[in-house]
Every structure is written in C-alpha cells, then in structure tokens.
Amino acid sequence: METVLAIDIRNRRTRIGLSVDGALAAQWAVPTDPMDTADAAVARVLQFFDALERGLAPLEPEAPTTLELASAAPLADGAIIASVAPALTSVWLEAARRVTNSRPLIVGPGLKTGLKMGFSDPTQVGADRVAEMVAAKTTYGSPCLVVDLGTSTTFELLDEEGAFKGGIIAPGMKLGAAALAEGAAQLPAVEVRAPKSLLGRTTAEAMQAGIVMGEVARADGLIDLIWAEACCTGPVILVGQDAESIAALLAHQVTVDQTLALRGLLELYRLNHR
C-alpha cells in the first residue's frame, strides 16, 4: 500500500490530502498561518492523522474500507506541495520531509504536468491552478472551464486539445467586501452571503447584493464570453471556499468539485515520482 500526502497551500486555507494507492482517501483543511514554523506544520499533519484515527476526518468515497495509519515517521511514502504563499513553501517542505523521511515534490518549473501551456510565461501560472487543470483534464475531459472562487476569482480554460488556453484573474468576494469597508468611510464590514432580495433595503443588504449577486452576474457573463471566444463549450467546474454558495445561484449548469486540486497534485506526483 502506497500512501502520499498532497498539500495545497492557499492564502487563507491549506488543504492536506492523503492518498492510498493513488486514490484520495481523506482531506483536512486548516487556516493558512503566515507565522507557522515547520514544527507547527508537522503538528497540523499529526492532527490530521489523529482525526483519521478517531474517525473525525470524513473519508472520501474512494478510501479503502480499512485505513491503516502509521504511528511514527514515515507517516506516508511521499509528498507533493502546491503553494501560492512563498513564505510558507520552505516551512511545509521541511515539515513534509520530516513526516515522510523523503524529499517532497513541489509544483513549479521542471515538474512534468502533461499540459501544453498556451501562456507567454508558464512559470507565472500558479501552482494551484496547474493542479486544478491537471485533474480537470483527467476527470472531465476537454474542453472544460475551471472557476476558482477564493481570495481571487480565477477562470482557467482547457481547449479542445486539452491545452491551457489562458485565463482570467479578478478579486474574490471577500477581498471586494474588505475593500469596500476600508475604502468608503460610511460603509460597514458585512458578512458575505446572499441577500434575501436583489434590491437591498439597508446599506448592509445593498452591499451583500452588490458583492454576492455581482459575483454571480460576473461569473455567468464571463462563462458566456469565454465560450464565445473559444468557439466551443464544455463542463464548468467550480472550486474554492465560495463555490457551493455561488453554484446555487448561477444560471449555468456547473459541477462543484472540492477535491480537484488535491487529485491534481496526486496525478502530478504519479507523473514525476520515480
């Protein structure tokens, strides 16, 4: 039985996945803390394994009936990391090295992806976006469109040949809400959630309508514009912290897949591990 840790470090949240014989068995989400040390990162992995041992971390559908976990290092046979937080990359690299007793892989230049990158400088494409596209191509075929609703809202298009055609990057909802509250003296900080009515009757409701329904309208409109420019259409996959809430409001049919990045990391591990 081969076990691999997949670690996806985002600006606000870090996901840790454990695969068994190539299939994602479980995942664990923790806040991304810029002050974390390698010791703290090791502790987060240990918490994940402890939760699995106690049955507190839900298993994925592909998990084996019996999950045998190591009680001491190495906790897994290998690890792969995608990071958009450069200050934490070396921290998690050291933590992953400790818990696996091996050299972890990092998504970046030199790693085989199996993707043709139609981008002027492929090194500028975020590691998280690469992982998502790898899994999207394998799972949903091409063409397909991945929409990531996190700190930023990103769109990634795989064309009919499965190549990364290009994408869009825009501020995410929580970033927009924070900017409104900070930049306008009379506007309060509000909870980012869908309003009861499109036309708000209070300042907070009006802001929620603008932030949430504005994101819905932007996503629907950009999906149409992307397919029109690409002269094709295909599955639309939503990921990220706000994926479920926005998916329910979109006019387009979409699939929410919160395992996409972790499964992409595991596919990248398979392609690059000797």
Side-chain angles (χ1 to χ4, degrees):
M1 181 178 72
E2 183 186 40
T3 55
V4 176
L5 285 173
I7 301 168
D8 180 24
I9 307 165
R10 306 290 180 103
N11 292 298
R12 293 190 309 221
R13 182 178 294 184
T14 295
R15 286 187 183 272
I16 308 168
L18 176 68
S19 78
V20 177
D21 292 334
L24 183 65
Q27 60 174 308
W28 190 247
V30 297
T32 297
D33 187 343
M35 300 303 292
D36 265 352
T37 62
D39 292 341
V42 167
R44 291 177 183 271
V45 176
L46 292 176
Q47 289 170 356
F48 175 34
F49 275 73
D50 183 59
L52 282 171
E53 192 71 45
R54 296 172 184 268
L56 299 175
L59 298 179
E60 298 295 328
E62 297 181 2
T65 305
T66 302
L67 191 60
E68 297 180 3
L69 301 173
S71 58
L75 300 179
D77 298 307
I80 183 166
I81 298 170
S83 174
V84 298
L88 290 173
T89 305
S90 60
V91 167
W92 277 94
L93 179 66
E94 171 61 17
R97 185 194 63 77
R98 287 192 208 172
V99 299
T100 63
N101 290 347
S102 66
R103 181 180 178 182
L105 297 176
I106 298 181
V107 180
L111 204 73
K112 292 185 292 184
T113 65
L115 287 175
K116 183 179 179 181
M117 305 292 278
F119 212 72
S120 299
D121 184 359
T123 63
Q124 292 183 352
V125 181
D128 54 339
R129 301 175 75 191
V130 172
E132 287 168 355
M133 287 187 286
V134 167
K137 181 179 178 181
T138 302
T139 307
Y140 300 98
S142 53
C144 69
L145 181 63
V146 179
V147 183
D148 191 329
L149 298 154
T151 303
S152 59
T153 296
T154 63
F155 296 73
E156 295 122 23
L157 175 66
L158 292 175
D159 65 17
E160 292 171 297
E161 297 179 355
F164 177 36
K165 186 74 172 179
I168 294 172
I169 302 175
M173 288 195 297
K174 289 184 175 64
L175 202 57
L180 267 179
E182 183 179 346
Q186 292 187 312
L187 294 182
V190 297
E191 181 185 357
V192 178
R193 60 181 174 85
K196 295 179 180 178
S197 171
L198 179 62
L199 300 176
R201 293 177 179 270
T202 67
T203 297
E205 289 176 355
M207 290 176 67
Q208 288 169 336
I211 294 163
V212 178
M213 301 313 295
E215 182 76 340
V216 171
R218 178 171 70 175
D220 270 328
L222 286 175
I223 290 169
D224 285 334
L225 290 172
I226 289 168
W227 289 134
E229 181 167 317
C231 298
C232 62
T233 187
V236 179
I237 305 99
L238 263 60
V239 300
Q241 291 184 33
D242 300 314
E244 284 84 0
S245 59
I246 294 299
L249 301 170
L250 289 173
H252 290 83
Q253 183 177 353
V254 299
T255 299
V256 176
D257 187 345
Q258 298 290 24
T259 66
L260 197 68
L262 291 178
R263 288 189 290 105
L265 285 176
L266 296 173
E267 176 66 14
L268 289 168
Y269 184 89
R270 186 189 67 79
L271 285 172
N272 291 271
H273 179 65
R274 294 180 181 178

